[in-house]
Amino acid sequence: MSTSNITSYVPNGFVVGATPDGRMAGSPLNEDCSPTQGTDKNGPTAVINSVSKLPNEKVAAGQLLNMRFLPDSLEGEEQLNKFIDFLIVSQKKGVYHNQLVIHVKLKQNKKIVSDLLQLPLSLVFTRLLNIFSVYIPTSQNFKIRFIVLAFAIICTGIGAAMSLSMQLVPNPGDGIVQALGERFNKSLGLTKNLFDCLNLCITLCISIFVAHRIVGVGIGTVIAVLGVGRVIALYHSIFGFKIKDLI
């Protein structure tokens, strides 16, 4: 007795009529002891519960269960631990040959393309900075300058949060913040604050060491360092769940 039909499940189906599960006559049979195509609708646990009901210990030629998973199901320590528990339970239920396929190629290619697109995006970003610097009026009035600064911080924070949330092509400066946040499991807003504070400290050290005075840092710099990250955090707290529904 064997449930392992390897690749013969396709030609074998040519001579088998329609079956009660809705399979059409002449179409492929199920692959080994795996569910018939389109019938595994209740998740992987339901699949191994079904397969464990077979007399697997009596299958002399062995049985083969093929299962396919998306990479998202293995992301993060919690998901990985669940997957390990799933494999342990499979073995305890008598599912001895479980062949797993993780579909990662498409996601890796998408990530590579996304990383490469950061190069032209950085050029576009710098061109826009030059354009806006020409057309945005300057003023010596402290109140007007403060209003423009506050508006710029709000727009910068919202823009960064939106571009990163869409998971397309992040601005390189924001991309490193996102990478650090994911690596250390910290929120994007907090990571942005810490990263900007680090850059501020480095700038202060270099300016004092080289120029013997503070260069390129003002009250607006400090406000921006604190403000952009807080705007990102506020944006995610208000719209985060809606963005997850969109993507």
Side-chain angles (χ1 to χ4, degrees), residues 111-122 168-170 172:
K111 183 69 171 62
I112 292 173
V113 172
S114 175
D115 290 342
L116 291 176
L117 286 176
Q118 291 187 42
L119 298 176
L121 178 65
S122 63
L168 292 175
V169 187

Side-chain angles (χ1 to χ4, degrees), residues 202-237:
I202 293 174
T203 301
L204 290 173
C205 291
I206 292 176
S207 63
I208 293 174
F209 179 77
V210 175
H212 305 293
R213 61 188 180 88
I214 297 177
V215 179
V217 177
I219 184 63
T221 310
V222 178
I223 294 175
V225 165
L226 301 175
V228 174
R230 293 303 85 204
V231 171
I232 293 175
L234 179 62
Y235 179 88
H236 279 293
S237 66

Side-chain angles (χ1 to χ4, degrees), residues 176-178 180-181 186-196:
I176 189 173
V177 172
Q178 185 179 43
L180 290 171
K186 300 296 182 181
S187 67
L188 188 61
L190 176 60
T191 306
K192 177 65 174 173
N193 280 135
L194 295 176
F195 184 74
D196 286 349

Side-chain angles (χ1 to χ4, degrees), residues 124-142:
V124 173
F125 188 77
T126 55
R127 293 306 91 190
L128 289 175
L129 286 178
N130 292 337
I131 293 174
F132 283 117
S133 63
V134 171
Y135 290 101
I136 294 179
T138 58
S139 174
Q140 298 302 317
N141 187 295
F142 178 79

Side-chain angles (χ1 to χ4, degrees), residues 2-3 8 10 28-29 32 40 98 107 110 115 130-131 136 148 158 161 166 176 201 206 215-216 219-220 235 237:
S2 174
T3 63
S8 61
V10 176
L29 300 174
D32 303 303
D40 51 338
N98 196 342
K107 186 172 184 179
K110 183 179 178 181
D115 290 342
N130 292 337
I131 293 174
I136 294 179
V148 172
I158 293 176
M166 289 298 101
I176 189 173
C201 292
I206 292 176
V215 179
I219 184 63
Y235 179 88
S237 66

Side-chain angles (χ1 to χ4, degrees), residues 161 165-167 232-247:
S165 297
M166 289 298 101
Q167 299 179 6
I232 293 175
L234 179 62
Y235 179 88
H236 279 293
S237 66
I238 297 174
F239 301 106
F241 68 96
K242 294 182 179 179
I243 293 175
K244 289 182 180 179
D245 291 339
L246 290 175
I247 59 177

